[in-house]
Amino acid sequence: MLPPSVEEKAAAAVLNYNNSGLSVLEIPHRSEAFLEILHHARQLVKKILSLNNNMEVLFLQGGATMQFAQIPFNLLDEGRTAAYCNHGVWGEKAIKEAALFGEINIAASSSDRNYTYIQKELTLNGREDYLHITTNNTIEGTQWHSLPVVDVPLIADMSSDIFSRELDYNGLGLFYAGAQKNIGAAGVTLVVVNRHILPELKRKLPSILDYRNHIKAASLLNTAPVFAVYVSYLVLQWIDENGGVAAMQKRAAERADMLYRTIDSLPLFRSHVAVDDRSLMNAVFSIDDKTLEEAFIRFCEENGVMHIRGHRTAGGLRASMYNAMPLESVAKLCDLMRDFSHHNG
């Protein structure tokens, strides 16, 4: 979901960017106009997250899925070990890719309870080059509410909760996020890396996969996705103008509290996620009677509430509440849940 002001500015720029007579879709990726967009977008990331000069901001392509391979390619040398937390589908996918490059230690897993909680007690062997976590699990509806403290670089997939809360982002070795949740439109990936964690490797890296090359080229090693970066820039402006991550965190807590209180108050709906680990971004719940569940999805759509169906691999119901979601929208969903429950409970 994008803020309405961002949609309006992006739509206007498609027709005429900055009174240039050109669409933002037409400006060259090395033009002065785009270089200015990219520069300001990178600076806004640093400002909003209070990043120090060691943290390099990159706008890359390939989505978070590309990072599943690019991270171990750059950080896990031949014969070395990395630690990974397995708290759901995205952790599993990251582990699968990393295993191509070295030994993987599963430091924590919640597979024993179908990924309905965050296993926080870590098992590290002292030989790992880094620890990788997924901060928010969109499919399972769980979230790390405070980051683990470890003696190795902490790598975080923050695709679904980036810019939603205050954290010590400088304490991370690397974090990354696909834009399509809290940053902007699909097509670009934010990667922030502490340049001091990049090792000298035995293996040779393809130029396009080497973080150091992207740092030197300031995210312009290859043709940048101009429109996706531009929309991200507009969203970053919106976050900055609306109170930064502190305000986003407050809004997220209000939305989630309203929805979870409604779920817990209605016997028809059920949440299997551990209360302390419930995601502020993605509330996952269900109705035991699957016929009623389908009826509820149709009821929501008929009343203008879209995309309540759970992820295709998990089923059930899911309400995603990213930064741009107004509290009023969550209130409308809660009203529909009470109405439906009254007539079907």
Side-chain angles (χ1 to χ4, degrees), residues 181-241:
K181 303 293 196 305
N182 269 340
I183 307 175
V188 69
T189 308
L190 175 68
V191 178
V192 179
V193 56
N194 185 327
R195 61 175 176 269
H196 294 305
I197 73 164
L198 298 174
E200 293 296 329
L201 300 172
K202 297 176 184 176
R203 74 166 62 92
K204 300 295 184 183
L205 297 180
S207 297
I208 195 65
L209 295 179
D210 191 329
Y211 289 129
R212 288 166 294 193
N213 291 339
H214 288 289
I215 291 170
K216 291 176 185 175
S219 298
L220 286 173
L221 187 62
N222 62 321
T223 302
V226 173
F227 185 67
V229 174
Y230 176 64
V231 177
S232 295
Y233 170 50
L234 295 179
V235 173
L236 291 165
Q237 283 183 317
W238 177 83
I239 293 172
D240 187 43
E241 292 166 358

Short mmCIF file of all heavy atoms in Angstrom, two decimals, residues 181-241:
data_model
loop_
_atom_site.label_atom_id
_atom_site.label_comp_id
_atom_site.label_asym_id
_atom_site.label_seq_id
_atom_site.Cartn_x
_atom_site.Cartn_y
_atom_site.Cartn_z
N LYS A 181 6.97 -3.69 0.12
CA LYS A 181 6.17 -3.69 1.35
C LYS A 181 6.12 -2.28 1.96
O LYS A 181 5.06 -1.68 2.04
CB LYS A 181 6.75 -4.68 2.36
CG LYS A 181 6.87 -6.11 1.87
CD LYS A 181 5.53 -6.75 1.65
CE LYS A 181 5.61 -8.26 1.53
NZ LYS A 181 6.52 -8.78 0.52
N ASN A 182 7.26 -1.79 2.43
CA ASN A 182 7.28 -0.52 3.16
C ASN A 182 8.11 0.57 2.49
O ASN A 182 8.23 1.66 3.04
CB ASN A 182 7.82 -0.74 4.58
CG ASN A 182 6.73 -1.05 5.58
OD1 ASN A 182 5.56 -0.75 5.35
ND2 ASN A 182 7.10 -1.64 6.69
N ILE A 183 8.70 0.29 1.33
CA ILE A 183 9.60 1.26 0.70
C ILE A 183 9.01 1.86 -0.56
O ILE A 183 9.23 3.04 -0.85
CB ILE A 183 10.97 0.63 0.38
CG1 ILE A 183 11.58 -0.03 1.62
CG2 ILE A 183 11.94 1.67 -0.17
CD1 ILE A 183 12.86 -0.79 1.36
N GLY A 184 8.27 1.08 -1.33
CA GLY A 184 7.77 1.63 -2.58
C GLY A 184 7.16 0.57 -3.46
O GLY A 184 6.54 -0.38 -2.99
N ALA A 185 7.37 0.72 -4.77
CA ALA A 185 6.85 -0.24 -5.74
C ALA A 185 7.87 -1.35 -5.97
O ALA A 185 9.07 -1.18 -5.76
CB ALA A 185 6.56 0.48 -7.06
N ALA A 186 7.38 -2.50 -6.40
CA ALA A 186 8.27 -3.61 -6.69
C ALA A 186 9.26 -3.26 -7.79
O ALA A 186 8.97 -2.46 -8.67
CB ALA A 186 7.45 -4.83 -7.11
N GLY A 187 10.46 -3.85 -7.71
CA GLY A 187 11.44 -3.65 -8.77
C GLY A 187 12.79 -3.19 -8.31
O GLY A 187 13.74 -3.13 -9.10
N VAL A 188 12.93 -2.87 -7.02
CA VAL A 188 14.22 -2.47 -6.49
C VAL A 188 14.36 -3.05 -5.08
O VAL A 188 13.36 -3.32 -4.41
CB VAL A 188 14.38 -0.93 -6.47
CG1 VAL A 188 13.47 -0.28 -5.44
CG2 VAL A 188 15.84 -0.51 -6.25
N THR A 189 15.60 -3.26 -4.66
CA THR A 189 15.89 -3.82 -3.35
C THR A 189 16.86 -2.91 -2.62
O THR A 189 17.90 -2.53 -3.17
CB THR A 189 16.52 -5.23 -3.48
OG1 THR A 189 15.69 -6.04 -4.31
CG2 THR A 189 16.70 -5.88 -2.12
N LEU A 190 16.52 -2.57 -1.40
CA LEU A 190 17.42 -1.79 -0.56
C LEU A 190 18.38 -2.73 0.16
O LEU A 190 17.94 -3.70 0.80
CB LEU A 190 16.63 -0.97 0.46
CG LEU A 190 17.46 -0.20 1.49
CD1 LEU A 190 18.23 0.94 0.82
CD2 LEU A 190 16.56 0.35 2.61
N VAL A 191 19.67 -2.46 0.05
CA VAL A 191 20.69 -3.21 0.78
C VAL A 191 21.56 -2.20 1.51
O VAL A 191 22.07 -1.26 0.90
CB VAL A 191 21.56 -4.08 -0.15
CG1 VAL A 191 22.65 -4.80 0.64
CG2 VAL A 191 20.70 -5.08 -0.91
N VAL A 192 21.71 -2.38 2.80
CA VAL A 192 22.60 -1.53 3.60
C VAL A 192 23.65 -2.43 4.21
O VAL A 192 23.33 -3.39 4.93
CB VAL A 192 21.84 -0.77 4.69
CG1 VAL A 192 22.81 0.10 5.50
CG2 VAL A 192 20.74 0.10 4.08
N VAL A 193 24.91 -2.15 3.92
CA VAL A 193 25.99 -3.02 4.38
C VAL A 193 27.08 -2.19 5.06
O VAL A 193 27.46 -1.12 4.59
CB VAL A 193 26.59 -3.83 3.19
CG1 VAL A 193 27.06 -2.93 2.07
CG2 VAL A 193 27.70 -4.75 3.66
N ASN A 194 27.55 -2.70 6.18
CA ASN A 194 28.72 -2.12 6.83
C ASN A 194 29.94 -2.56 6.03
O ASN A 194 30.25 -3.75 6.00
CB ASN A 194 28.81 -2.59 8.28
CG ASN A 194 29.94 -1.92 9.05
OD1 ASN A 194 30.99 -1.61 8.48
ND2 ASN A 194 29.76 -1.71 10.33
N ARG A 195 30.60 -1.63 5.40
CA ARG A 195 31.69 -2.00 4.48
C ARG A 195 32.82 -2.73 5.19
O ARG A 195 33.60 -3.45 4.56
CB ARG A 195 32.23 -0.77 3.77
CG ARG A 195 32.81 0.31 4.65
CD ARG A 195 33.41 1.44 3.81
NE ARG A 195 33.91 2.54 4.62
CZ ARG A 195 33.19 3.59 4.96
NH1 ARG A 195 31.93 3.66 4.56
NH2 ARG A 195 33.69 4.55 5.70
N HIS A 196 32.92 -2.62 6.51
CA HIS A 196 34.01 -3.25 7.24
C HIS A 196 33.81 -4.76 7.43
O HIS A 196 34.73 -5.45 7.88
CB HIS A 196 34.19 -2.59 8.61
CG HIS A 196 34.64 -1.17 8.52
ND1 HIS A 196 35.77 -0.77 7.83
CD2 HIS A 196 34.11 -0.02 9.03
CE1 HIS A 196 35.92 0.53 7.91
NE2 HIS A 196 34.92 1.02 8.63
N ILE A 197 32.61 -5.27 7.12
CA ILE A 197 32.41 -6.72 7.28
C ILE A 197 32.73 -7.49 6.01
O ILE A 197 32.72 -8.72 6.02
CB ILE A 197 30.97 -7.05 7.73
CG1 ILE A 197 29.98 -6.87 6.57
CG2 ILE A 197 30.56 -6.27 8.97
CD1 ILE A 197 28.64 -7.53 6.80
N LEU A 198 33.00 -6.78 4.91
CA LEU A 198 33.25 -7.47 3.64
C LEU A 198 34.66 -8.06 3.65
O LEU A 198 35.65 -7.34 3.70
CB LEU A 198 33.08 -6.50 2.48
CG LEU A 198 31.67 -5.91 2.33
CD1 LEU A 198 31.65 -4.86 1.23
CD2 LEU A 198 30.66 -7.01 2.04
N PRO A 199 34.77 -9.39 3.58
CA PRO A 199 36.08 -10.03 3.68
C PRO A 199 36.80 -10.13 2.34
O PRO A 199 36.19 -9.96 1.28
CB PRO A 199 35.73 -11.42 4.20
CG PRO A 199 34.41 -11.71 3.55
CD PRO A 199 33.69 -10.39 3.49
N GLU A 200 38.08 -10.40 2.40
CA GLU A 200 38.81 -10.80 1.19
C GLU A 200 38.56 -12.28 0.99
O GLU A 200 38.83 -13.09 1.88
CB GLU A 200 40.30 -10.51 1.36
CG GLU A 200 40.64 -9.05 1.44
CD GLU A 200 40.30 -8.30 0.15
OE1 GLU A 200 40.37 -8.92 -0.94
OE2 GLU A 200 39.94 -7.11 0.25
N LEU A 201 38.03 -12.64 -0.15
CA LEU A 201 37.60 -14.01 -0.39
C LEU A 201 38.59 -14.78 -1.25
O LEU A 201 39.33 -14.21 -2.05
CB LEU A 201 36.24 -14.00 -1.09
CG LEU A 201 35.08 -13.34 -0.35
CD1 LEU A 201 33.87 -13.25 -1.26
CD2 LEU A 201 34.73 -14.11 0.91
N LYS A 202 38.57 -16.10 -1.06
CA LYS A 202 39.34 -16.98 -1.94
C LYS A 202 38.66 -17.08 -3.31
O LYS A 202 39.32 -17.12 -4.34
CB LYS A 202 39.45 -18.37 -1.32
CG LYS A 202 40.21 -18.43 0.00
CD LYS A 202 40.18 -19.85 0.57
CE LYS A 202 40.84 -19.91 1.93
NZ LYS A 202 40.73 -21.26 2.54
N ARG A 203 37.33 -17.14 -3.29
CA ARG A 203 36.60 -17.31 -4.54
C ARG A 203 36.58 -15.99 -5.33
O ARG A 203 36.67 -14.90 -4.75
CB ARG A 203 35.17 -17.78 -4.28
CG ARG A 203 34.23 -16.73 -3.74
CD ARG A 203 32.77 -17.20 -3.85
NE ARG A 203 32.53 -18.38 -3.05
CZ ARG A 203 32.10 -18.39 -1.79
NH1 ARG A 203 31.89 -17.23 -1.18
NH2 ARG A 203 31.90 -19.50 -1.15
N LYS A 204 36.43 -16.12 -6.61
CA LYS A 204 36.27 -14.97 -7.49
C LYS A 204 34.78 -14.68 -7.65
O LYS A 204 33.98 -15.58 -7.88
CB LYS A 204 36.90 -15.23 -8.86
CG LYS A 204 38.40 -15.51 -8.80
CD LYS A 204 39.18 -14.31 -8.31
CE LYS A 204 40.69 -14.58 -8.34
NZ LYS A 204 41.45 -13.44 -7.79
N LEU A 205 34.42 -13.42 -7.54
CA LEU A 205 33.02 -13.04 -7.65
C LEU A 205 32.74 -12.41 -9.01
O LEU A 205 33.52 -11.60 -9.50
CB LEU A 205 32.66 -12.01 -6.57
CG LEU A 205 32.77 -12.44 -5.11
CD1 LEU A 205 32.36 -11.28 -4.21
CD2 LEU A 205 31.91 -13.64 -4.83
N PRO A 206 31.60 -12.74 -9.63
CA PRO A 206 31.17 -11.97 -10.80
C PRO A 206 31.01 -10.51 -10.41
O PRO A 206 30.54 -10.20 -9.31
CB PRO A 206 29.83 -12.62 -11.17
CG PRO A 206 29.85 -13.97 -10.54
CD PRO A 206 30.67 -13.82 -9.29
N SER A 207 31.36 -9.61 -11.28
CA SER A 207 31.34 -8.18 -10.95
C SER A 207 29.99 -7.72 -10.41
O SER A 207 29.91 -6.96 -9.44
CB SER A 207 31.70 -7.36 -12.18
OG SER A 207 33.02 -7.64 -12.60
N ILE A 208 28.91 -8.21 -11.03
CA ILE A 208 27.58 -7.72 -10.67
C ILE A 208 27.15 -8.22 -9.30
O ILE A 208 26.23 -7.65 -8.69
CB ILE A 208 26.55 -8.15 -11.74
CG1 ILE A 208 25.24 -7.36 -11.60
CG2 ILE A 208 26.28 -9.65 -11.67
CD1 ILE A 208 25.37 -5.90 -11.87
N LEU A 209 27.80 -9.23 -8.75
CA LEU A 209 27.41 -9.79 -7.46
C LEU A 209 28.29 -9.32 -6.32
O LEU A 209 28.05 -9.66 -5.15
CB LEU A 209 27.42 -11.32 -7.52
CG LEU A 209 26.40 -11.96 -8.46
CD1 LEU A 209 26.52 -13.47 -8.45
CD2 LEU A 209 24.98 -11.54 -8.10
N ASP A 210 29.31 -8.55 -6.61
CA ASP A 210 30.26 -8.10 -5.60
C ASP A 210 29.77 -6.78 -4.99
O ASP A 210 29.66 -5.76 -5.68
CB ASP A 210 31.64 -7.91 -6.24
CG ASP A 210 32.75 -7.71 -5.21
OD1 ASP A 210 32.48 -7.15 -4.13
OD2 ASP A 210 33.89 -8.11 -5.50
N TYR A 211 29.46 -6.80 -3.69
CA TYR A 211 28.97 -5.58 -3.03
C TYR A 211 29.95 -4.43 -3.18
O TYR A 211 29.55 -3.27 -3.31
CB TYR A 211 28.73 -5.83 -1.54
CG TYR A 211 27.55 -6.70 -1.22
CD1 TYR A 211 27.67 -7.80 -0.38
CD2 TYR A 211 26.27 -6.42 -1.74
CE1 TYR A 211 26.58 -8.59 -0.05
CE2 TYR A 211 25.18 -7.20 -1.42
CZ TYR A 211 25.34 -8.30 -0.58
OH TYR A 211 24.26 -9.08 -0.27
N ARG A 212 31.25 -4.73 -3.16
CA ARG A 212 32.25 -3.66 -3.24
C ARG A 212 32.15 -2.90 -4.56
O ARG A 212 32.36 -1.68 -4.60
CB ARG A 212 33.65 -4.24 -3.02
CG ARG A 212 33.90 -4.66 -1.57
CD ARG A 212 35.12 -5.52 -1.43
NE ARG A 212 34.95 -6.82 -2.09
CZ ARG A 212 35.74 -7.86 -1.92
NH1 ARG A 212 36.79 -7.76 -1.12
NH2 ARG A 212 35.50 -9.00 -2.54
N ASN A 213 31.83 -3.60 -5.61
CA ASN A 213 31.65 -2.93 -6.90
C ASN A 213 30.44 -2.01 -6.89
O ASN A 213 30.46 -0.90 -7.44
CB ASN A 213 31.52 -3.96 -8.02
CG ASN A 213 32.82 -4.70 -8.28
OD1 ASN A 213 33.89 -4.22 -7.94
ND2 ASN A 213 32.72 -5.88 -8.87
N HIS A 214 29.36 -2.46 -6.26
CA HIS A 214 28.16 -1.63 -6.17
C HIS A 214 28.41 -0.40 -5.30
O HIS A 214 27.90 0.70 -5.59
CB HIS A 214 26.99 -2.44 -5.63
CG HIS A 214 26.45 -3.43 -6.59
ND1 HIS A 214 25.73 -3.07 -7.72
CD2 HIS A 214 26.53 -4.80 -6.62
CE1 HIS A 214 25.37 -4.16 -8.38
NE2 HIS A 214 25.85 -5.22 -7.74
N ILE A 215 29.20 -0.57 -4.26
CA ILE A 215 29.54 0.57 -3.40
C ILE A 215 30.35 1.61 -4.18
O ILE A 215 30.05 2.80 -4.15
CB ILE A 215 30.31 0.09 -2.15
CG1 ILE A 215 29.39 -0.71 -1.23
CG2 ILE A 215 30.90 1.28 -1.39
CD1 ILE A 215 30.11 -1.44 -0.11
N LYS A 216 31.36 1.14 -4.91
CA LYS A 216 32.19 2.05 -5.70
C LYS A 216 31.37 2.78 -6.76
O LYS A 216 31.61 3.96 -7.05
CB LYS A 216 33.32 1.26 -6.38
CG LYS A 216 34.38 0.73 -5.42
CD LYS A 216 35.40 -0.11 -6.17
CE LYS A 216 36.40 -0.75 -5.23
NZ LYS A 216 37.33 -1.67 -5.94
N ALA A 217 30.40 2.09 -7.34
CA ALA A 217 29.60 2.68 -8.41
C ALA A 217 28.38 3.43 -7.88
O ALA A 217 27.59 3.95 -8.68
CB ALA A 217 29.14 1.57 -9.37
N ALA A 218 28.22 3.50 -6.56
CA ALA A 218 27.10 4.22 -5.94
C ALA A 218 25.75 3.76 -6.51
O ALA A 218 24.90 4.56 -6.88
CB ALA A 218 27.27 5.72 -6.12
N SER A 219 25.57 2.44 -6.59
CA SER A 219 24.33 1.81 -7.06
C SER A 219 24.09 1.95 -8.55
O SER A 219 22.98 1.69 -9.04
CB SER A 219 23.11 2.34 -6.30
OG SER A 219 23.20 2.05 -4.93
N LEU A 220 25.11 2.35 -9.30
CA LEU A 220 24.95 2.51 -10.75
C LEU A 220 25.93 1.63 -11.53
O LEU A 220 26.43 2.01 -12.58
CB LEU A 220 25.12 3.98 -11.14
CG LEU A 220 23.95 4.88 -10.78
CD1 LEU A 220 24.30 6.34 -11.05
CD2 LEU A 220 22.69 4.48 -11.55
N LEU A 221 26.19 0.43 -11.00
CA LEU A 221 27.05 -0.50 -11.71
C LEU A 221 26.39 -0.95 -13.01
O LEU A 221 27.06 -1.20 -14.01
CB LEU A 221 27.36 -1.71 -10.83
CG LEU A 221 28.38 -2.71 -11.35
CD1 LEU A 221 29.75 -2.06 -11.53
CD2 LEU A 221 28.48 -3.91 -10.41
N ASN A 222 25.06 -1.06 -12.98
CA ASN A 222 24.31 -1.39 -14.19
C ASN A 222 23.08 -0.48 -14.24
O ASN A 222 22.89 0.37 -13.37
CB ASN A 222 23.91 -2.86 -14.22
CG ASN A 222 22.99 -3.21 -13.06
OD1 ASN A 222 23.17 -2.74 -11.95
ND2 ASN A 222 22.01 -4.06 -13.31
N THR A 223 22.25 -0.64 -15.24
CA THR A 223 21.09 0.23 -15.40
C THR A 223 20.16 0.11 -14.20
O THR A 223 19.66 -0.98 -13.89
CB THR A 223 20.32 -0.13 -16.68
OG1 THR A 223 21.21 -0.02 -17.80
CG2 THR A 223 19.14 0.81 -16.88
N ALA A 224 19.91 1.22 -13.55
CA ALA A 224 19.06 1.22 -12.36
C ALA A 224 17.58 1.21 -12.76
O ALA A 224 17.22 1.72 -13.83
CB ALA A 224 19.35 2.46 -11.52
N PRO A 225 16.71 0.64 -11.92
CA PRO A 225 15.27 0.69 -12.17
C PRO A 225 14.72 2.07 -11.78
O PRO A 225 14.29 2.29 -10.65
CB PRO A 225 14.73 -0.42 -11.27
CG PRO A 225 15.70 -0.49 -10.14
CD PRO A 225 17.04 -0.12 -10.71
N VAL A 226 14.76 2.98 -12.70
CA VAL A 226 14.54 4.40 -12.41
C VAL A 226 13.21 4.65 -11.70
O VAL A 226 13.16 5.33 -10.68
CB VAL A 226 14.62 5.23 -13.72
CG1 VAL A 226 14.20 6.68 -13.46
CG2 VAL A 226 16.03 5.18 -14.29
N PHE A 227 12.13 4.11 -12.25
CA PHE A 227 10.81 4.40 -11.66
C PHE A 227 10.70 3.82 -10.26
O PHE A 227 10.16 4.47 -9.36
CB PHE A 227 9.70 3.85 -12.56
CG PHE A 227 8.33 4.23 -12.07
CD1 PHE A 227 7.90 5.54 -12.09
CD2 PHE A 227 7.46 3.25 -11.59
CE1 PHE A 227 6.62 5.89 -11.64
CE2 PHE A 227 6.19 3.59 -11.14
CZ PHE A 227 5.77 4.91 -11.17
N ALA A 228 11.17 2.60 -10.05
CA ALA A 228 11.08 1.98 -8.73
C ALA A 228 11.87 2.78 -7.70
O ALA A 228 11.43 2.95 -6.56
CB ALA A 228 11.57 0.53 -8.79
N VAL A 229 13.05 3.26 -8.08
CA VAL A 229 13.84 4.09 -7.16
C VAL A 229 13.11 5.40 -6.89
O VAL A 229 13.09 5.87 -5.74
CB VAL A 229 15.25 4.35 -7.74
CG1 VAL A 229 16.02 5.34 -6.85
CG2 VAL A 229 16.03 3.04 -7.86
N TYR A 230 12.51 5.98 -7.92
CA TYR A 230 11.80 7.25 -7.74
C TYR A 230 10.64 7.09 -6.76
O TYR A 230 10.45 7.93 -5.86
CB TYR A 230 11.28 7.76 -9.08
CG TYR A 230 10.45 9.01 -8.97
CD1 TYR A 230 11.02 10.20 -8.50
CD2 TYR A 230 9.10 9.01 -9.29
CE1 TYR A 230 10.25 11.36 -8.38
CE2 TYR A 230 8.33 10.16 -9.17
CZ TYR A 230 8.92 11.34 -8.70
OH TYR A 230 8.16 12.47 -8.58
N VAL A 231 9.85 6.02 -6.90
CA VAL A 231 8.74 5.81 -5.97
C VAL A 231 9.27 5.59 -4.56
O VAL A 231 8.70 6.09 -3.59
CB VAL A 231 7.85 4.63 -6.43
CG1 VAL A 231 6.75 4.36 -5.41
CG2 VAL A 231 7.24 4.91 -7.79
N SER A 232 10.37 4.86 -4.44
CA SER A 232 10.99 4.68 -3.12
C SER A 232 11.41 6.02 -2.52
O SER A 232 11.22 6.26 -1.32
CB SER A 232 12.20 3.75 -3.21
OG SER A 232 11.82 2.45 -3.60
N TYR A 233 11.95 6.87 -3.34
CA TYR A 233 12.34 8.22 -2.88
C TYR A 233 11.13 8.98 -2.35
O TYR A 233 11.18 9.61 -1.29
CB TYR A 233 13.00 8.96 -4.05
CG TYR A 233 13.24 10.44 -3.82
CD1 TYR A 233 13.87 10.90 -2.67
CD2 TYR A 233 12.84 11.37 -4.78
CE1 TYR A 233 14.09 12.26 -2.47
CE2 TYR A 233 13.06 12.72 -4.59
CZ TYR A 233 13.68 13.16 -3.44
OH TYR A 233 13.89 14.50 -3.24
N LEU A 234 10.00 8.89 -3.06
CA LEU A 234 8.79 9.57 -2.61
C LEU A 234 8.29 8.99 -1.28
O LEU A 234 7.85 9.74 -0.40
CB LEU A 234 7.69 9.44 -3.66
CG LEU A 234 7.94 10.13 -5.01
CD1 LEU A 234 6.76 9.87 -5.95
CD2 LEU A 234 8.18 11.62 -4.85
N VAL A 235 8.36 7.67 -1.13
CA VAL A 235 7.93 7.05 0.12
C VAL A 235 8.85 7.45 1.27
O VAL A 235 8.39 7.74 2.38
CB VAL A 235 7.88 5.52 -0.02
CG1 VAL A 235 7.60 4.85 1.33
CG2 VAL A 235 6.79 5.10 -1.02
N LEU A 236 10.15 7.50 1.00
CA LEU A 236 11.10 7.93 2.03
C LEU A 236 10.83 9.36 2.46
O LEU A 236 10.90 9.69 3.65
CB LEU A 236 12.53 7.78 1.51
CG LEU A 236 13.02 6.34 1.32
CD1 LEU A 236 14.29 6.32 0.47
CD2 LEU A 236 13.27 5.66 2.66
N GLN A 237 10.51 10.22 1.50
CA GLN A 237 10.11 11.59 1.85
C GLN A 237 8.89 11.58 2.76
O GLN A 237 8.83 12.32 3.75
CB GLN A 237 9.80 12.38 0.57
CG GLN A 237 11.00 12.84 -0.21
CD GLN A 237 10.57 13.69 -1.41
OE1 GLN A 237 9.61 13.36 -2.12
NE2 GLN A 237 11.26 14.80 -1.63
N TRP A 238 7.91 10.77 2.40
CA TRP A 238 6.67 10.69 3.20
C TRP A 238 6.96 10.22 4.63
O TRP A 238 6.42 10.78 5.59
CB TRP A 238 5.70 9.75 2.50
CG TRP A 238 4.42 9.53 3.25
CD1 TRP A 238 3.31 10.33 3.24
CD2 TRP A 238 4.12 8.44 4.13
NE1 TRP A 238 2.34 9.80 4.07
CE2 TRP A 238 2.80 8.65 4.62
CE3 TRP A 238 4.83 7.31 4.54
CZ2 TRP A 238 2.19 7.76 5.51
CZ3 TRP A 238 4.22 6.43 5.43
CH2 TRP A 238 2.92 6.66 5.90
N ILE A 239 7.82 9.21 4.77
CA ILE A 239 8.17 8.72 6.11
C ILE A 239 8.85 9.84 6.90
O ILE A 239 8.51 10.09 8.07
CB ILE A 239 9.10 7.49 6.02
CG1 ILE A 239 8.34 6.30 5.42
CG2 ILE A 239 9.66 7.12 7.40
CD1 ILE A 239 9.22 5.10 5.11
N ASP A 240 9.79 10.51 6.26
CA ASP A 240 10.54 11.57 6.93
C ASP A 240 9.62 12.72 7.35
O ASP A 240 9.73 13.25 8.47
CB ASP A 240 11.64 12.08 6.00
CG ASP A 240 12.58 13.06 6.68
OD1 ASP A 240 12.99 12.80 7.84
OD2 ASP A 240 12.92 14.09 6.05
N GLU A 241 8.70 13.07 6.49
CA GLU A 241 7.79 14.19 6.76
C GLU A 241 6.70 13.84 7.76
O GLU A 241 6.05 14.74 8.31
CB GLU A 241 7.14 14.66 5.45
CG GLU A 241 8.12 15.30 4.48
CD GLU A 241 7.55 15.46 3.08
OE1 GLU A 241 6.39 15.01 2.87
OE2 GLU A 241 8.27 15.98 2.21
#
